[in-house]
Amino acid sequence: MTAISFALILTGVLLNAAAQLLLKAGTNAVGHFDFQLQNVLPVGLKLAFEPHIMGGMACYAVSLVVWIMALSRVPVSIAYPMLSIGYVINAFIAWQWFGEPLVTQKLMGIGFIIVGVWLVARSH
């Protein structure tokens, strides 16, 4: 894998991870809600104009373009598993920003993901 290919994949992964974190921050700002027929419009508007959610959607849009560029250079069987790096990034940032627990079992799973991504990256 070339440096540019790896940079595109990593950028796509980071943008995707950022999108998830921004969406979570946005839902935290909005608070718990239920979609029911009578509140679809008010809740939908509240979500649509929440800055974190707008930022998350923008990150998704840019990540899509970057990901398409990456897929034009790297086999999907190599590129797609790299998205798992986002799980690792999100687990640690969610622990720091949102206070989500990072227990031993989760850390072990993260270790397996890292090993798996490393093995896939070396397989080509």
Side-chain angles (χ1 to χ4, degrees):
M1 183 178 325
T2 68
I4 289 179
S5 298
F6 181 74
L8 287 168
I9 288 173
L10 188 59
T11 300
V13 167
L14 292 173
L15 283 166
N16 196 298
Q20 285 297 315
L21 293 163
L22 286 166
L23 292 177
K24 178 60 179 167
T27 58
N28 285 352
V30 169
H32 177 81
F33 58 88
D34 293 315
F35 272 121
Q36 299 170 353
L37 189 55
Q38 67 269 18
N39 72 358
V40 168
L41 187 61
V43 170
L45 289 172
K46 197 174 200 183
L47 291 171
F49 293 105
E50 206 294 318
H52 294 98
I53 291 180
M54 291 171 60
M57 293 184 340
C59 284
Y60 270 137
V62 175
S63 77
L64 177 62
V65 173
V66 171
W67 193 251
I68 290 169
M69 292 172 62
L71 288 176
S72 74
R73 292 164 170 81
V74 178
V76 71
S77 63
I78 301 295
Y80 190 69
M82 298 297 165
L83 287 174
S84 300
I85 297 167
Y87 299 130
V88 176
I89 293 165
N90 278 355
F92 284 104
I93 294 177
W95 171 60
Q96 288 290 313
W97 288 1
F98 305 126
E100 294 184 8
L102 201 53
V103 296
T104 303
Q105 187 174 354
K106 197 178 286 186
L107 290 170
M108 288 175 58
I110 288 169
F112 284 123
I113 290 170
I114 292 168
V115 170
V117 168
W118 179 76
L119 289 171
V120 168
R122 294 183 42 87
S123 70
H124 189 66

